[in-house]
């Protein structure tokens, strides 16, 4: 039986799409107010690269802008994300709290490993009281390499985990599982891509399906 579950945050536990577009629009409106952007907000481009660390996001969205502009935009974007979370504009995916409750009742430990920044993750965990079930939340900021596989390795080493699963929607989550000898569970949610999910060991359409995995009835993708 899988006894340790390491969850991604964006696109897996938290419906980032509910605050993503408005926060990105806020950030690019600030750029427009400074005459540093005169095109449409590249929301589609962001959806394509969703799941990568924010510094990489701004390299992709603002390739011709200076590091100073990228960092300023990043800081403002993070500020708006947190404000939208605290205002209740976001939402968890269906059954997050139910599956967390079920996992803890069945002696499973829960961790979060995210490419999101610490302040952003803390806002989500606090607003939805996820720390009631989650042992610890880990941000990519804690890893010098900014590599999710290394972040998951850090969790395994800290808590002595030898058997478990990584639950996420993107290739970085699947690779983090495989690189660390864990089961890769792909979530077919908003930002998921078929070519990436095909590399997962198991694919789920709803988090509640994790109940069957805990029970040992593993449904292969």
């Amino acid at each position: 039986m899988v006894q340790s579950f390491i969850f991604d945050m964006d696109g897996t536990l938290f419906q980032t799409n509910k605050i993503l577009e408005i926060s990105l629009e806020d950030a690019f409106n600030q750029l427009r107010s400074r005459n540093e952007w005169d095109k449409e907000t590249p929301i589609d481009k962001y959806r394509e690269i969703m799941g990568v660390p924010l510094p990489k996001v701004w390299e992709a969205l603002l390739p011709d802008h200076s590091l100073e502009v990228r960092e300023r935009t990043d800081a403002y974007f993070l500020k708006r994300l947190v404000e939208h979370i605290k205002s209740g504009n976001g939402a968890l995916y269906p059954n997050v709290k139910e599956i967390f409750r079920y996992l803890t009742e069945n002696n499973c430990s829960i961790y979060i490993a995210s490419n999101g920044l610490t302040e952003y993750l803390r806002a989500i965990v606090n607003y939805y009281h996820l720390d009631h079930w989650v042992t610890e939340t880990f941000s990519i900021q804690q890893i010098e390499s900014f590599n999710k596989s290394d972040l998951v390795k850090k969790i395994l080493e800290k808590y002595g985990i030898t058997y478990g699963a990584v639950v996420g929607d993107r290739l970085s989550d699947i690779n983090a599982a495989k690189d660390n000898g864990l089961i890769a569970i792909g979530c077919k949610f908003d930002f998921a891509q078929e070519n990436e999910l095909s590399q997962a060991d198991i694919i789920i359409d709803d988090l509640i399906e994790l109940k069957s995995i805990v029970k040992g009835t593993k449904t292969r993708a």
Side-chain angles (χ1 to χ4, degrees):
M1 185 179 83
V2 177
Q3 293 184 320
S4 296
F5 285 84
I6 301 172
F7 289 85
D8 174 45
M9 178 65 87
D10 292 317
T12 299
L13 298 177
F14 184 67
Q15 296 187 55
T16 318
N17 57 319
K18 290 186 177 295
I19 63 169
L20 173 65
E21 188 167 347
I22 52 177
S23 298
L24 202 65
E25 191 67 39
D26 291 341
F28 276 85
N29 279 337
Q30 187 194 56
L31 287 170
R32 293 183 185 97
S33 71
R34 301 172 67 97
N35 295 317
E36 294 171 340
W37 189 262
D38 60 1
K39 298 183 284 291
E40 291 185 1
T41 300
I43 183 66
D44 290 337
K45 178 63 176 178
Y46 193 14
R47 289 181 181 277
E48 289 176 16
I49 61 176
M50 187 71 192
V52 304
L54 276 175
K56 295 295 183 182
V57 166
W58 300 113
E59 287 178 17
L61 299 187
L62 300 173
D64 301 321
H65 289 69
S66 67
L67 179 60
E68 178 186 357
V69 171
R70 291 177 191 166
E71 290 180 343
R72 171 168 29 87
T73 305
D74 182 33
Y76 185 73
F77 179 62
L78 174 62
K79 175 184 176 182
R80 294 302 295 146
L81 283 171
V82 170
E83 288 173 349
H84 284 303
I85 291 166
K86 292 180 177 179
S87 296
N89 294 327
L92 297 177
Y93 276 95
N95 299 313
V96 168
K97 292 188 176 182
E98 181 176 346
I99 196 62
F100 276 13
R101 189 176 300 112
Y102 178 85
L103 293 177
T104 53
E105 288 174 353
N106 283 271
N107 300 313
C108 297
S109 54
I110 301 171
Y111 309 87
I112 293 174
S114 172
N115 282 334
L117 302 183
T118 303
E119 182 182 355
Y120 167 74
L121 297 174
R122 186 184 302 118
I124 297 172
V125 170
N126 289 345
Y127 187 85
Y128 296 101
H129 307 291
L130 298 182
D131 52 353
H132 182 72
W133 302 282
V134 177
T135 302
E136 188 172 352
T137 298
F138 292 78
S139 164
I140 202 67
Q141 279 184 297
Q142 297 171 247
I143 296 294
E144 187 174 345
S145 67
F146 269 65
N147 184 302
K148 193 162 222 181
S149 293
D150 293 338
L151 185 61
V152 168
K153 182 180 179 181
K154 179 183 178 75
I155 297 173
L156 302 189
E157 291 177 345
K158 179 171 182 177
Y159 288 96
I161 299 168
T162 56
Y163 183 59
V166 175
V167 184
D169 65 318
R170 299 307 302 266
L171 187 59
S172 61
D173 304 304
I174 295 168
N175 287 339
K178 293 182 177 293
D179 290 345
N180 287 284
L182 304 177
I183 296 171
I185 302 176
C187 298
K188 197 173 183 180
F189 297 170
D190 296 305
F191 300 107
Q193 298 184 10
E194 292 289 347
N195 63 318
E196 296 182 357
L197 285 180
S198 65
Q199 300 181 53
D201 297 311
I202 302 167
I203 298 174
I204 60 175
D205 295 295
D206 191 301
L207 291 169
I208 207 66
E209 295 174 46
L210 294 177
K211 284 187 176 183
S212 64
I213 297 170
V214 172
K215 293 174 182 176
T217 56
K218 299 176 183 177
T219 305
R220 288 285 164 176

